[in-house]
Amino acid sequence: MSRGVLGTLVAVATVGVLALALLDARREEASAFADFSQGVQVTAEALADGLGNGGEPGREGLYRSLARFEEQGRVRVFVRLRGAGTLAGLDGTAAPAPIATAAMNLDAGPSHLDRAAAEALGLPARRAALAVVAPTSGPVDRLALVVSAASERARERHAEFRLILSTVAAAGLVLLFGLLALAGARREARLEHELALADLTREQDARLSRADKLATLGALGTGIAHELSSPLGAILGRAEQLEPLVAGHVAGQKSLGVIIEQVERMRQIIRGFLGIVRGEQVPLVSTPPGRLVEDAAALVRYRFEAGGVELSVTPGPPVPAVACDPRTFSSVLSNLLLNALDASKAGDAVVVSCQQRGQKVAFLVEDRGHGIPPEHASRVFEPFFTTKREGKGTGLGLAIATEIVRSHRGTLTLEPRAPGPGTVATVEMPVGGESA
């Protein structure tokens, strides 16, 4: 709301309130004048009774008695003696037509004279109350009492002035406080806008930083994958050359088969990672979640045995299959298991399981290690960020895992384990395929 609009609203409201207040004051004024006229009527009757019950004898004595009453300056008295034909003032002037008319119509009760008629009688130029009575005894046949309402009107005008002044003052205060509140609201809105811009700037900077790191990660991954392809090809070639030499040796054939299988697995994972980096569509296959868990556990079990940490695969109720690239997705679970192993000490246990959550399948890796410090919780997914000592981590595992999960339309989260110490890593994937 602008200042002009606020001022207009306050002005309109002030005029409306003032109009209603003045209207009410006019009604009160009319009621007060009616009471005033009734008081004049009572005074006229009391004066008539006093004249009828005594007083100085003769016409001169009567006029002196009434003249003392008229000396107040705001009162005029008109009388008509019994047997006389005219209603006249104490100075002998004939009563004006309104007073003479009222003297003939006693049943009408008290009436009033307007400002011009009152001023013509020598009274203040204000409305005056008129009361006419007929004494039952004494020399006076009619007595007309005219009393100016100048003092009452002055009090009413002062009251109206105070009403207007107080209303305007109140409106001014309302306008002042409204302007102060409006200025405060604008200042607060401006600060909120500046804070929002600052937050947006920080968020954009964080996104740019992450995008830059991901680009670096992609370039680095591409280079590493290219450099690894030659050694892996050499390993595979040498392994194939050894096949005739271990013919008939069961253990040797088994070990050689594992080498060839894992080399091929590494090549598949590298191809899948390069596809993700290039933005290619990930080939999705309907896969039982239990098989993904078992494959990942089998890949890292020897590391757990060497570290003295128990790896437990918790069976659960059958869950629907998920659509994924089994090789790259198994590498995500393997990475999470190895992180849990690094956070654990000998004698601890790591539990991996899967469960259905509505239209999603959740893979959970739970450890009882030292957990993630709160100050690092928001950075663990950043490329090259690690809390491990030198030589134990590159800060790429969770960043790569996050990108792989995201390419599968899933989410990866890390949360503190409750109750007790430790961390729970959760990968949620959309349901896809038949139940398994």
Side-chain angles (χ1 to χ4, degrees):
M1 183 184 296
S2 64
R3 295 182 180 180
V5 173
L6 179 61
T8 301
L9 291 177
V10 172
V12 171
T14 301
V15 171
V17 170
L18 190 57
L20 291 175
L22 289 176
L23 181 63
D24 185 68
R26 291 289 188 271
R27 286 197 297 265
E28 290 295 327
E29 178 183 338
S31 177
F33 186 78
D35 293 340
F36 177 77
S37 298
Q38 192 63 39
V40 172
Q41 179 72 27
V42 172
T43 302
E45 292 174 355
L47 183 61
D49 289 343
L51 291 175
N53 294 330
E56 298 181 23
R59 180 174 180 178
E60 293 182 0
L62 174 63
Y63 279 14
R64 280 196 298 271
S65 298
L66 295 176
R68 287 195 298 269
F69 191 71
E70 199 175 58
E71 287 174 358
Q72 300 176 29
R74 297 181 184 276
V75 180
R76 287 297 305 273
V77 180
F78 295 88
V79 296
R80 185 175 69 191
L81 299 176
R82 296 186 186 278
T86 60
L87 184 68
L90 301 183
D91 56 359
T93 59
I99 300 176
T101 302
M104 294 186 295
N105 188 13
L106 296 178
D107 295 333
S111 58
H112 71 277
L113 299 180
D114 58 21
R115 297 176 56 170
E119 188 175 14
L121 294 177
L123 298 176
R126 291 288 186 269
R127 190 168 53 168
L130 168 63
V132 180
V133 295
T136 56
S137 62
V140 177
D141 177 59
R142 291 285 188 276
L143 186 143
L145 182 62
V146 181
V147 180
S148 173
S151 58
E152 284 74 13
R153 186 57 179 163
R155 285 194 296 270
E156 290 167 359
R157 285 289 176 262
H158 284 303
E160 290 179 0
F161 175 76
R162 289 193 299 269
L163 175 62
I164 295 173
L165 182 62
S166 61
T167 304
V168 172
L173 290 176
V174 170
L175 180 60
L176 175 62
F177 289 137
L179 291 174
L180 292 176
L182 181 61
R186 285 184 172 178
R187 185 166 54 252
E188 184 177 351
R190 185 169 59 254
L191 291 176
E192 289 180 355
H193 180 66
E194 292 174 355
L195 290 175
L197 286 179
D199 290 341
L200 181 60
T201 301
R202 283 194 297 270
E203 184 179 351
Q204 290 177 340
D205 290 342
R207 288 179 178 177
L208 289 174
S209 176
R210 178 175 176 80
D212 182 61
K213 290 180 179 179
L214 288 176
T216 304
L217 175 62
L220 179 62
T222 303
I224 293 175
H226 177 73
E227 294 299 325
L228 287 179
S229 61
S230 296
L232 288 176
I235 294 172
L236 182 60
R238 291 293 188 266
E240 291 174 347
Q241 291 176 2
L242 290 174
E243 283 184 322
L245 300 178
V246 295
H249 192 282
V250 178
Q253 286 181 325
K254 183 178 181 181
S255 297
L256 192 59
V258 171
I259 292 174
I260 295 173
E261 180 185 352
Q262 293 305 314
V263 168
E264 185 60 32
R265 181 185 184 88
M266 291 175 65
R267 294 175 70 178
Q268 293 291 338
I269 291 175
I270 290 173
R271 272 198 293 269
F273 175 71
L274 288 177
I276 293 173
V277 170
R278 297 188 187 110
E280 298 175 0
Q281 181 66 38
V282 178
L284 303 180
V285 179
S286 180
T287 310
R291 195 183 87 185
L292 295 170
V293 172
E294 291 291 348
D295 290 349
L299 286 174
V300 299
R301 191 175 297 280
Y302 76 98
R303 291 277 301 273
F304 277 80
E305 292 174 353
V309 177
E310 179 185 355
L311 176 57
S312 175
V313 179
T314 302
V319 295
V322 294
C324 69
D325 176 17
R327 294 186 182 276
T328 56
F329 189 77
S330 291
S331 69
V332 171
L333 298 180
S334 301
N335 182 273
L336 296 177
L337 287 171
L338 291 176
N339 282 346
L341 173 63
D342 291 340
S344 304
K345 61 182 183 298
D348 285 347
V350 173
V351 179
V352 57
S353 62
C354 59
Q355 57 186 244
Q356 183 175 2
R357 296 179 177 177
Q359 293 301 310
K360 293 186 178 181
V361 173
F363 298 84
L364 295 93
V365 176
E366 179 180 347
D367 67 66
R368 292 166 175 78
H370 49 70
I372 301 173
E375 63 272 17
H376 296 155
S378 61
R379 301 190 59 195
V380 291
F381 296 108
E382 293 182 7
F384 310 110
F385 177 80
T386 181
T387 59
K388 300 177 182 178
R389 64 179 184 272
E390 187 176 354
K392 288 292 184 179
T394 62
L396 296 177
L398 286 176
I400 294 174
T402 301
E403 293 306 313
I404 293 175
V405 171
R406 188 174 296 163
S407 70
H408 285 77
R409 297 178 294 119
T411 58
L412 170 59
T413 57
L414 297 178
E415 297 176 337
R417 176 179 170 271
T423 304
V424 178
T426 304
V427 178
E428 285 192 340
M429 297 277 289
V431 170
E434 300 296 328
S435 297

